[in-house]
Amino acid sequence: MASSPPKNTLNSQQPSSITRPPQAVKFGRRTSSGRTLSLSRDYDMDVHGDYSSGQNDYIDYTVLMPPTPDNQPAGSSSSASTSQSKPNANQGSKTGNKMERRLSVMKSNNKSMLLRTQTGDFDHNRWLFESKGKYGIGNAFWPDDIDNGEGGVSMSDFLDKPWKPLTRKVKVPAQVLSPYRLLIVLRLVILFFFLWWRVTNPNEDAMWLWGLSIVCEIWFAFSWILDILPKLNPINRAADLDTLRDKFEQPSPSNPSGRSDLPGVDVFVSTADPEKEPPLVTANTLLSILAVDYPIEKLSAYISDDGGAILTFEAMAEAVRFADYWVPFCRKHDIEPRNPDSYFSIKKDPTKNKKKPDFVKDRRWIKREYDEFKVRINGLPEQIKKRAEQFNLREELKEKRIAKEKNGGVLPPDGVEVVKATWMADGTHWPGTWFEPKPDHKKGDHAGILQIMSKVPELEPVMGGPNEGALDFTGIDIRIPMFAYVSREKRPGFDHNKKAGAMNGMVRASAILSNGAFILNLDCDHYVYNSKAIKEGMCYMMDRGGDRICYIQFPQRFEGIDPSDRYANHNTVFFDGNMRALDGLQGPVYVGTGCMFRRYALYGFNPPRANEYNGVFGQEKAPAMHVRTQSQASQISETSDLESDTQPLTDDPDLGLPKKFGNSTIFTDTIPVAEYQGRPLADHMSIQNGRPPGALLLPRPPLDAPTVAEAIAVISCWYEDNTEWGDRVGWIYGSVTEDVVTGYRMHNRGWRSVYCITKRDAFRGTAPINLTDRLHQVLRWATGSVEIFFSKNNAMFATRRLKFLQRVAYLNVGIYPFTSIFLVVYCFLPAMCLFSGKFIVQSLDVHFLSYLLCISLTLILISLLEVKWSGIGLEEWWRNEQFWLIGGSSAHLAAVVQGLLKVIAGIEISFTLTSKASGEDEDDMFADLYIVKWTGLFIMPLTIIVVNLVAIVIGASRTIYSVIPQWNKLFGGIFFSMWVLTHMYPFCKGLMGRRGKVPTIVYVWSGLVSITVSLLWITISPPDEVSGSGGISV
């Protein structure tokens, strides 16, 4: 070693010179003892070629590096520094002293030894490589022996994950949204100039046509503005389920066991008639809820049977028994969807992405069990009737025996009268409605029923064993959530307020039994398609600012719709367009199902923070005054009243504090608990009105008899007397569309809502594909909108807490049915033009055609961009346009008439329940599509079609045989008539049925309309040449 030339290592330094070439640096490392080793000697390499000398040689890899101070970390560029820091292999005995000196340098306050001689700056490179802090300081490596001062920082302080939000907004790309807004402004300008030109250029030859068309066009422009303005700010949202799990379901100092800290959720399912809403459909919905991916001890399910039918009761009991196997099976194999009927109907390979070897065996067994379950459900009606007959026969024989004993062994001459009751399996009378209606046991007159069919689950997981009904559930939690059957009391003389009253009864009962901070309501035919949907919704409620959110609305998705979606049943333009745009304002409207509410907001309280929007267009934003804090709002009692200084006389009545919840003190005590549990987690300084972590880890108390008795008492028909239920608290009464009104009242208090579109559909349901059923459904919605327009819930009377564009959206909800009046008139205008030979303008000049072209082009471009940012298809958009005209000329017009009759004459409106049952033809799932069920709603669309067809024939004949044919007016009339007929094409297909045969009534009606219209037109406008008595030609 002494005779060999010295080897330069990474720590070796040579004086730098500008004229010298870059020196060679050999890679090496210094051990803890101070000895320098070359990295080239760490491995034995077999070198061949010119460098081979017949044995294994060790060679050094050399790298050329410029001699700058930055790449010479062991010292500065000066020779003094170099000589001071240059190591030698023979100085191994002095290594310990050198290391101590280095550490003493780092620990001393004198930084002069670490200053670069050239610049006088602190030499970070020397500190890094000549101390044990070889990687510096940071969250990748932090030396244990560094003097941290008073902070006491260590590597463990960097192991905690940084705070992350649970949700984020995803804005629509500017290259789509900016042209969209620009085109809207451009079309508004064009519409203004077009209408101004139309008003200032009347048609002197046909003033009546000109006047009708002007009125209709002005209204259409106004209606379009109401529809398009709320769409100016569409947004998308995304939730982070991983962050939710890290915050609420992982071990932490406040939650050492890692038990879920999420709030409770109560799921409501409403049904009313087992004949129109089959119990098998409701049972499958219940099974999908019980198997949802949410903490079992935090989830509760409730079924509201407003008909009090024993068939629904028995079906739910069967469903709970089947859930003991279905729910653990779903957890074990991660099944999606968790509705068994939908799962077993999937056409794709069921074994895809299933890793457990016993999946096929388990699936085969559970499929067999489900088939038997369906047989039992479908056989319940007959079984219950046979049971009732047997028990009634037994009671009849018993009464006859008693009568004989009293009458000396002979039956009385009048016989024995026995009530034909409906019996339960345990031999007791069913307290609800009977097959043969009797007093206290018929629709609208029966006792309240509350049955807890699945008890409150234990706090700790209950693991299954290897032989759980032929299934191996080892390591699988076999608990199922609590489930209760509820049927509120009904008595004659009480207004039970339809579905809204049933929902409010469940709100009170669930508050006493489980008191979940959030409520998810579903229709009986809407099942959970995404088992993580509740968690995704919870991300928004538990995120920063989530305490201001009153509900999370999920889009409605439907199954069983015909592939062409003839009647726009998917309604994607509304759910993916309008609702997504409202999410950029104050939030989407409540649409009746698939909505997760904050229980505290349902009770009518104000949000913890709200804003007021002043000015003509709400451009002046300011914090709302007189907003009660949560602590103030929670201190409620039935006798409490507001002080004059906290409730000024100028306040809107909708902004007061709810006071009258009924006479149940147990219920009122649950209100502040629900408010506290619904607060977001206070894990960041930006979280306002939060709760500490680990506050929801305590188990729920077990249910006892007094608690259940109190829950039964709050669903009695008299409980809501002299209370604010239905007026301010809970679902709002007074409209057939109670959902829209309930959401509006929350927004009016300053609450916000969120539209949650999940990657996998959250819920799926069914929709009527028959034309008659579809029109009746639209009729009910439109009638509710008319009621809203003529009530105090009209958006024109809203508070200043409602944003301007949100107010416009709610105003459109109440106004859109009235468009049908102008739409029907405009559909007849082309026929009138063809009949009269006139047109809505003097002539088809350049001005009219230019305006028409610009308006049409801007509308097409706006629609294309709307399709782009909403994600809907062009065919879906076109189907929506077609059904807008079909529904507008039939159901909307009838809704206006019915609404006016109710407002003016007080005539109540009753609607039949939309059937959820499938068609009788099991081989064709779209059999209902071709069924023709005549209704009065067909009259107006059919009249429009016939009149336009007759007008085309008459107009063409007149022009062809005219001395001076006016082809431009003919083509103008035919063009608009064809526009009407093209939109009516789905209606015509619906009338023709499966084989394309037109019903006889259509021919009869067409003939009557044609003859009537022809005679009427001849009377109003006789031919140009009429021979008078004097032979004078006119």
Side-chain angles (χ1 to χ4, degrees):
M1 292 292 292
S3 61
S4 62
K7 295 185 178 180
N8 295 328
T9 63
L10 182 63
N11 294 322
S12 299
Q13 301 285 338
Q14 295 295 337
S16 60
S17 176
I18 299 177
T19 59
R20 293 177 57 184
Q23 67 181 23
V25 179
K26 298 178 182 180
F27 285 94
R29 66 182 178 87
R30 176 175 296 167
T31 64
S32 60
S33 62
R35 188 168 59 91
T36 303
L37 293 179
S38 174
L39 288 179
S40 60
R41 297 195 179 188
D42 289 343
Y43 299 95
D44 189 354
M45 300 178 59
D46 188 8
V47 182
H48 301 281
D50 297 335
Y51 297 97
S52 177
S53 60
Q55 60 180 359
N56 291 339
D57 293 333
Y58 298 98
I59 64 173
D60 292 334
Y61 286 90
T62 304
V63 179
L64 297 179
M65 299 179 64
T68 61
D70 291 336
N71 63 30
Q72 299 184 31
S76 65
S77 60
S78 66
S79 60
S81 176
T82 302
S83 62
Q84 186 179 12
S85 61
K86 182 177 179 179
N88 196 315
N90 296 327
Q91 297 175 350
S93 60
K94 302 179 181 180
T95 302
N97 296 330
K98 287 187 175 182
M99 294 301 298
E100 292 177 359
R101 285 198 300 272
R102 292 191 187 99
L103 292 178
S104 64
V105 168
M106 296 307 302
K107 294 180 180 178
S108 65
N109 294 327
N110 186 8
K111 296 184 180 180
S112 61
M113 298 180 64
L114 296 177
L115 295 180
R116 291 181 180 173
T117 57
Q118 291 182 342
T119 61
D121 297 333
F122 184 81
D123 193 346
H124 294 276
N125 291 327
R126 182 178 176 185
W127 176 86
L128 175 64
F129 285 92
E130 294 215 2
S131 68
K132 286 187 177 180
K134 296 182 179 179
Y135 299 105
I137 57 174
N139 65 338
F141 174 78
W142 188 280
D144 295 333
D145 55 353
I146 295 297
D147 185 8
N148 300 318
E150 298 179 356
V153 182
S154 63
M155 189 63 194
S156 60
D157 297 319
F158 295 97
L159 297 179
D160 295 336
K161 294 184 178 180
W163 184 87
K164 292 173 60 178
L166 294 172
T167 62
R168 61 188 177 91
K169 289 183 180 181
V170 183
K171 295 186 177 181
V172 177
Q175 57 266 30
V176 176
L177 193 57
S178 297
Y180 178 74
R181 293 171 174 172
L182 180 62
L183 284 170
I184 290 175
V185 175
L186 180 62
R187 192 168 192 265
L188 283 172
V189 174
I190 296 173
L191 277 175
F192 173 78
F193 284 106
F194 170 71
L195 293 176
W196 180 263
W197 180 84
R198 291 278 283 121
V199 171
T200 55
N201 291 271
N203 185 2
E204 303 292 345
D205 298 335
M207 291 294 293
W208 59 281
L209 276 176
W210 171 81
L212 288 175
S213 63
I214 280 293
V215 173
C216 294
E217 289 164 0
I218 292 176
W219 180 266
F220 291 152
F222 172 69
S223 178
W224 179 79
I225 292 173
L226 292 182
D227 180 70
I228 203 66
L229 284 183
K231 296 181 181 180
L232 289 174
N233 189 35
I235 63 170
N236 299 309
R237 296 181 186 269
D240 191 346
L241 291 178
D242 294 334
T243 304
L244 182 76
R245 182 179 65 253
D246 293 340
K247 288 187 176 184
F248 292 90
E249 297 180 329
Q250 294 296 323
S252 64
S254 59
N255 183 13
S257 62
R259 191 180 299 133
S260 176
D261 197 22
L262 288 170
V265 177
D266 295 337
V267 185
F268 293 173
V269 179
S270 57
T271 183
D273 190 346
E275 294 182 359
K276 294 186 177 181
E277 298 171 332
L280 182 60
V281 175
T282 308
N284 277 286
T285 299
L286 175 62
L287 289 170
S288 70
I289 294 171
L290 297 179
V292 76
D293 184 7
Y294 199 79
I296 304 169
E297 67 277 7
K298 302 293 184 73
L299 186 69
S300 302
Y302 297 84
I303 291 282
S304 172
D305 179 17
D306 222 26
I310 189 174
L311 180 57
T312 304
F313 181 84
E314 297 276 2
M316 296 304 104
E318 288 286 346
V320 172
R321 284 193 287 270
F322 179 69
D324 290 335
Y325 302 109
W326 173 252
V327 173
F329 169 75
C330 292
R331 293 176 186 150
K332 178 181 179 181
H333 297 289
D334 195 18
I335 300 300
E336 292 286 357
R338 299 190 176 182
N339 177 331
D341 188 68
S342 298
Y343 171 70
F344 291 120
S345 300
I346 296 177
K347 303 300 181 182
K348 66 179 183 180
D349 182 13
T351 62
K352 186 177 180 181
N353 298 328
K354 297 297 182 288
K355 300 178 181 179
K356 296 189 177 181
D358 57 350
F359 169 71
V360 175
K361 178 180 71 68
D362 290 355
R363 187 181 186 276
R364 187 180 299 116
W365 187 88
I366 202 73
K367 176 66 166 62
R368 184 169 60 251
E369 289 294 315
Y370 177 67
D371 291 338
E372 295 177 1
F373 167 74
K374 288 197 298 183
V375 171
R376 292 195 299 270
I377 294 292
N378 293 328
L380 278 177
E382 191 65 26
Q383 177 185 350
I384 295 173
K385 288 181 180 179
K386 287 183 178 180
R387 180 205 304 161
E389 291 175 359
Q390 292 175 358
F391 279 110
N392 287 330
L393 180 60
R394 186 193 66 178
E395 290 296 314
E396 185 177 358
L397 294 176
K398 182 179 178 181
E399 291 294 330
K400 286 182 179 180
R401 185 173 63 254
I402 295 174
K404 284 182 179 181
E405 292 175 356
K406 292 182 178 180
N407 201 30
V410 182
L411 284 175
D414 297 337
V416 178
E417 213 177 306
V418 179
V419 177
K420 301 295 182 182
T422 298
W423 297 77
M424 300 175 66
D426 61 347
T428 59
H429 283 181
W430 167 244
T433 57
W434 289 355
F435 289 117
E436 295 186 12
K438 300 293 181 181
D440 295 336
H441 295 284
K442 60 184 178 180
K443 289 185 177 181
D445 184 13
H446 62 79
I449 307 169
L450 192 149
Q451 189 74 21
I452 301 174
M453 296 185 174
S454 174
K455 65 179 182 179
V456 178
E458 298 179 12
L459 182 62
E460 299 297 334
V462 179
M463 299 302 175
N467 190 15
E468 299 284 348
L471 293 179
D472 185 4
F473 289 148
T474 303
I476 304 299
D477 194 349
I478 61 174
R479 296 176 299 165
I480 62 174
M482 190 198 83
F483 167 67
Y485 170 92
V486 181
S487 180
R488 58 179 174 146
E489 181 186 15
K490 286 188 174 182
R491 297 300 179 190
F494 287 89
D495 187 0
H496 302 106
N497 298 294
K498 303 180 178 65
K499 179 182 177 181
M503 299 300 291
N504 285 338
M506 272 198 296
V507 170
R508 296 190 295 270
S510 64
I512 294 175
L513 296 178
S514 56
N515 198 31
F518 299 97
I519 295 173
L520 172 66
N521 88 287
L522 299 171
D523 287 344
C524 66
D525 61 325
H526 271 72
Y527 67 91
V528 180
Y529 188 75
N530 181 355
S531 62
K532 299 183 183 297
I534 297 180
K535 285 188 175 180
E536 290 209 32
M538 197 60 65
C539 287
Y540 297 97
M541 291 294 192
M542 294 290 103
D543 200 11
R544 178 174 48 192
D547 56 331
R548 298 177 57 194
I549 298 175
C550 56
Y551 61 82
I552 306 292
Q553 178 64 60
F554 295 86
Q556 292 186 19
R557 307 300 186 199
F558 302 101
E559 294 178 336
I561 306 298
D562 56 295
S564 63
D565 194 13
R566 181 185 294 176
Y567 307 124
N569 284 282
H570 285 299
N571 210 1
T572 53
V573 173
F574 174 75
F575 287 113
D576 291 340
N578 297 66
M579 296 286 275
R580 196 190 302 259
L582 289 175
D583 197 20
L585 303 177
Q586 203 167 335
V589 298
Y590 169 42
V591 293
T593 183
C595 187
M596 187 166 70
F597 284 95
R598 182 181 298 274
R599 182 184 287 270
Y600 185 72
L602 267 177
Y603 289 156
F605 291 98
N606 297 326
R609 299 174 306 282
N611 295 318
E612 290 185 353
Y613 303 92
N614 302 314
V616 178
F617 302 107
Q619 69 275 13
E620 299 176 5
K621 177 181 175 181
M625 304 298 293
H626 311 294
V627 176
R628 280 85 186 172
T629 62
Q630 301 289 351
S631 58
Q632 292 173 336
S634 61
Q635 298 173 358
I636 59 170
S637 62
E638 198 166 332
T639 60
S640 64
D641 198 2
L642 296 178
E643 300 294 338
S644 59
D645 57 344
T646 61
Q647 179 66 32
L649 297 177
T650 56
D651 265 9
D652 189 280
D654 202 28
L655 301 181
L657 192 67
K659 297 175 292 184
K660 300 180 180 179
F661 292 96
N663 58 1
S664 174
T665 56
I666 297 180
F667 170 78
T668 54
D669 290 341
T670 65
I671 297 177
V673 177
E675 185 275 326
Y676 178 77
Q677 293 181 350
R679 296 182 182 182
L681 204 64
D683 59 346
H684 192 264
M685 58 183 301
S686 62
I687 304 294
Q688 301 185 43
N689 192 42
R691 61 173 175 85
L696 304 183
L697 301 180
L698 298 177
R700 284 190 293 178
L703 297 178
D704 52 12
T707 303
V708 177
E710 186 70 15
I712 297 174
V714 297
I715 60 173
S716 60
C717 57
W718 50 264
Y719 183 83
E720 294 184 357
D721 290 348
N722 299 319
T723 67
E724 293 180 316
W725 286 98
D727 179 41
R728 177 189 177 88
V729 181
W731 269 259
I732 307 301
Y733 301 155
S735 174
V736 295
T737 53
E738 72 287 333
D739 45 6
V740 177
V741 177
T742 302
Y744 164 76
R745 296 290 285 275
M746 293 183 184
H747 283 146
N748 200 33
R749 298 186 192 106
W751 289 95
R752 302 179 62 88
S753 60
V754 168
Y755 197 50
C756 180
I757 302 180
T758 56
K759 187 174 182 180
R760 176 184 176 89
D761 293 344
F763 311 100
R764 283 192 177 181
T766 59
I769 60 175
N770 180 265
L771 178 59
T772 303
D773 294 338
R774 173 71 166 136
L775 288 179
H776 278 100
Q777 183 187 55
V778 175
L779 173 63
R780 181 171 61 86
W781 296 342
T783 305
S785 296
V786 175
E787 292 175 343
I788 291 173
F789 181 79
F790 288 109
S791 70
K792 64 180 180 181
N793 297 312
N794 192 315
M796 289 187 292
F797 309 125
T799 66
R800 290 177 296 180
R801 297 187 184 180
L802 200 65
K803 287 187 177 181
F804 173 75
L805 292 182
Q806 190 81 16
R807 186 191 302 263
V808 172
Y810 273 114
L811 190 62
N812 188 39
V813 169
I815 286 179
Y816 82 89
F818 295 95
T819 304
S820 60
I821 300 174
F822 305 93
L823 183 62
V824 169
V825 173
Y826 211 73
C827 288
F828 282 113
L829 279 180
M832 296 177 185
C833 294
L834 292 171
F835 283 139
S836 62
K838 309 295 183 182
F839 199 58
I840 58 177
V841 294
Q842 189 76 31
S843 62
L844 296 176
D845 57 4
V846 176
H847 293 87
F848 177 76
L849 294 177
S850 299
Y851 279 122
L852 187 63
L853 179 63
C854 293
I855 290 174
S856 302
L857 284 178
T858 52
L859 180 60
I860 292 172
L861 293 175
I862 290 173
S863 301
L864 289 176
L865 289 174
E866 187 172 330
V867 166
K868 181 71 174 177
W869 62 253
S870 64
I872 62 178
L874 283 174
E875 184 179 3
E876 294 172 326
W877 176 83
W878 172 238
R879 291 298 185 203
N880 182 79
E881 292 297 310
Q882 288 180 311
F883 195 78
W884 171 76
L885 194 144
I886 296 171
S889 60
S890 56
H892 294 177
L893 184 64
V896 173
V897 175
Q898 290 184 353
L900 291 175
L901 288 176
K902 180 180 180 179
V903 172
I904 298 174
I907 300 176
E908 284 294 330
I909 307 166
S910 61
F911 292 94
T912 58
L913 188 66
T914 304
S915 177
K916 274 75 174 181
S918 58
E920 298 179 357
D921 189 356
E922 296 183 356
D923 296 332
D924 187 2
M925 61 182 301
F926 306 125
D928 286 346
L929 182 67
Y930 308 105
I931 298 176
V932 181
K933 296 183 287 187
W934 180 260
T935 175
L937 299 177
F938 288 174
I939 294 177
M940 186 56 67
L942 185 58
T943 303
I944 292 174
I945 294 172
V946 172
V947 168
N948 277 276
L949 289 175
V950 172
I952 291 174
V953 174
I954 293 177
S957 301
R958 176 190 290 108
T959 304
I960 292 173
Y961 293 105
S962 176
V963 178
I964 305 177
Q966 297 182 348
W967 295 102
N968 58 346
K969 294 183 179 180
L970 174 66
F971 289 148
I974 292 179
F975 174 80
F976 286 108
S977 289
M978 293 304 297
W979 177 86
V980 173
L981 296 174
T982 303
H983 282 72
M984 288 290 184
Y985 176 70
F987 178 83
C988 298
K989 290 190 68 175
L991 288 180
M992 295 177 185
R994 182 187 297 273
R995 297 177 179 83
K997 295 176 62 178
V998 180
T1000 305
I1001 190 171
V1002 175
Y1003 288 113
V1004 174
W1005 185 253
S1006 301
L1008 289 174
V1009 170
S1010 302
I1011 295 172
T1012 303
V1013 170
S1014 300
L1015 294 176
L1016 183 63
W1017 190 257
I1018 291 175
T1019 304
I1020 296 175
S1021 180
D1024 292 339
E1025 295 183 0
V1026 178
S1027 300
S1029 58
I1032 301 174
S1033 297
V1034 180

